[in-house]
Amino acid sequence: MAFFSGEDQDRGYAALGAADGWSTVAERAFSDLFAERGWGATRLPFPEAYPGARFLPREPGAVAGEHPTAPPLHLSFRPLSRFALLKGASTFYALPWRAPLITRRFARNAPIQSNIAHMLSLPDEIWTSSAYAAGVLRAAGVAHVHAMPAPLPKAAPDREAALSLSGELLRIDAFRPSADGAAGRPARVADLANGRDPLFVAVVDPADPADNLETLLRGFVAAGTAARLVVVLAGEGRRGADQPAAIAARLAHRLEDDADLISDRVLLLDGVPPLDALAGLFALADVYLSAASAADQNLPLLMAMAAGALPVAVRATAMADYLDDANSIAIAAEPGLLETVDPRLAGLVPTMPAELPSVRSVAEACRAATALAPETRAARVAAARAAAARFSAEAVAERVEARLEARAAVRRAAESASQPPLLGPRTPEATLRSAH
């Protein structure tokens, strides 16, 4: 069986698309997967509080290849600064990563949690969110890493719920109180999804510079097509000035003199809706638009691909794992520097290299999406569905099972030879060669 430790699983899928949300979503998705497969899944918020795994109650079920005497599996989804082992268990650490490097830039007297080399040497194995991330970690000397992306959330698309979702049109007056104190004119998704004009959908965290919200909005409006755009502003759990609505309001006021951005064709939804409604929104969409320069996995994009939306996106970091010319339209990007808000790099790297799209490249990609011949579009959508199927619960379960079977085989071979199993590097020097 397996124990799962994380930060706040109760947030469920509400963090979908947020910069700090992958671990929360992945923990929920993996624990659901283990429970569905009968492998046993016990929630364990604070593994450091227990003297050992043998003192913990267990759900019935055994993971693939698990011997009755083998130590249980502990899957940790906590931030690196709060990572903790569970005594008497094999600990696998689920580490999302989207930066092109791992740094050792920390003060000599900094707490041990900031020593990334040491922290990455502790788990028996590291599962990361993409093949891109695994490549970055291996290049830095992390040998015991495997790409194990989160399975896509299961949801029954509720189109009616999606059509009833309401938000604010991207107009300056939508963010200004009127003379009688009323807010600007709200609108529903149904007002944009008219069945005639193409419907674009995007999920963006306004607080994450990597999502390039302003570039996305300017590029879509500059494209000058008849398409409509629904933008889901992710980022539940933020307070005050960091709430999506407040960020969007500041953006609208900053662009107050930009008449080109004022549009009744762009609807902003404050917060991620319930999962079935979000899936319904993706099912209504003709195109999913993503200007993100970096992502841990970009689960909303994959969900939209599975629902039949054509992806229009920057092919960078995790997106390069599954986007190509056969299944998407690329947004051109140029090398640049991106502000770092990722909590895994906070205080260590203020900026990082990234592929940055321009307003022009977003506009060109939007025009290309609306100009596709029907047969070409149908072929790309079918290819996008096939690519997303690699991240289904069933496909990920097969990968998990193969990985656990392989690890069990190593243990069995070691036991038969009366030798302790090889669990991977345990020293910072062996784990991390990078001297950035």
Side-chain angles (χ1 to χ4, degrees):
M1 67 91 47
F3 296 102
F4 288 79
S5 62
E7 287 295 278
D8 186 6
Q9 196 185 41
D10 290 339
R11 288 175 65 195
Y13 296 118
L16 196 70
D20 59 351
W22 185 90
S23 294
T24 300
V25 177
E27 183 193 359
R28 172 75 176 272
F30 273 110
S31 60
D32 288 350
L33 177 66
F34 271 57
E36 290 171 2
R37 303 287 288 196
W39 292 344
T42 300
R43 170 87 172 132
L44 190 67
F46 303 104
E48 66 274 21
Y50 297 91
R54 64 189 182 91
F55 296 97
L56 295 170
R58 301 190 184 190
E59 295 291 333
V63 298
E66 184 180 55
H67 188 273
T69 62
L73 175 64
H74 168 218
L75 273 169
S76 174
F77 295 84
R78 302 175 80 180
L80 195 59
S81 61
R82 290 175 48 78
F83 171 76
L85 298 171
L86 174 61
K87 295 177 183 178
S90 293
T91 295
F92 289 12
Y93 182 42
L95 173 67
W97 196 266
R98 60 180 185 172
L101 54 85
I102 295 179
T103 181
R104 296 182 68 171
R105 293 175 184 165
F106 47 85
R108 291 178 181 271
N109 60 349
I112 196 170
Q113 286 85 353
S114 68
N115 186 332
I116 296 178
H118 173 77
M119 298 303 289
L120 293 183
S121 73
L122 296 178
D124 297 303
E125 192 164 297
I126 293 175
W127 288 1
T128 195
S129 52
S130 68
Y132 166 84
V136 171
L137 293 172
R138 290 191 189 110
V142 183
H144 56 310
V145 60
H146 300 273
M148 194 65 70
L152 295 183
K154 289 185 177 181
D158 189 338
R159 287 176 171 81
E160 291 303 317
L163 289 170
S164 66
L165 294 172
S166 62
E168 299 287 350
L169 293 171
L170 186 66
R171 297 187 61 86
I172 302 304
D173 57 10
F175 297 97
R176 277 206 195 113
S178 61
D180 59 2
R185 182 172 69 86
R188 297 184 308 150
V189 170
D191 298 329
L192 276 71
N194 56 25
R196 301 185 307 274
D197 303 318
L199 182 65
F200 284 52
V201 171
V203 177
V204 181
D205 181 356
D208 185 2
D211 278 0
N212 299 308
L213 174 59
E214 186 173 331
T215 300
L216 181 145
L217 293 175
R218 285 183 179 276
F220 175 82
V221 175
T225 69
R228 313 298 180 95
L229 172 63
V230 176
V231 181
V232 178
L233 299 175
E236 254 84 357
R238 304 185 189 280
R239 294 183 175 87
D242 289 331
Q243 287 182 343
I247 294 170
R250 292 202 303 273
L251 172 64
H253 283 300
R254 189 166 73 247
L255 303 175
E256 183 173 3
D257 297 326
D258 190 345
D260 291 338
L261 194 66
I262 299 176
S263 174
D264 281 332
R265 295 184 294 110
V266 179
L267 180 65
L268 304 178
L269 302 183
D270 183 8
V272 178
L275 196 58
D276 288 352
L278 182 65
L281 183 60
F282 292 151
L284 291 170
D286 298 292
V287 172
Y288 185 89
L289 182 60
S290 173
S293 297
D296 295 324
Q297 188 176 344
N298 207 333
L299 284 166
L301 171 57
L302 283 165
M303 289 179 65
M305 289 168 61
L310 173 70
V312 175
V314 179
R315 295 176 190 168
T317 62
M319 286 79 76
D321 283 4
Y322 49 83
L323 295 181
D324 55 36
D325 289 341
N327 63 21
S328 63
I329 291 177
I331 296 177
E334 298 290 336
L337 289 177
L338 187 68
E339 180 186 351
T340 299
V341 297
D342 195 319
R344 286 153 279 172
L345 295 175
L348 301 175
V349 184
T351 60
M352 72 177 188
E355 297 293 315
L356 302 180
S358 66
V359 171
R360 180 178 179 179
S361 65
V362 172
E364 290 174 348
C366 290
R367 292 190 199 104
T370 57
L372 277 182
E375 60 274 14
T376 302
R377 185 188 183 283
R380 295 197 188 187
V381 167
R385 284 185 186 272
R390 305 201 310 262
F391 301 87
S392 68
E394 294 74 17
V396 173
E398 291 179 2
R399 295 177 64 166
V400 171
E401 190 166 14
R403 181 65 214 136
L404 296 178
E405 287 281 9
R407 188 168 181 83
V410 172
R411 181 177 294 279
R412 289 193 296 269
E415 289 175 347
S416 64
S418 299
Q419 295 178 353
L422 180 62
L423 297 180
R426 285 291 189 170
T427 65
E429 292 76 15
T431 302
L432 189 63
R433 295 193 304 267
S434 175
H436 292 291

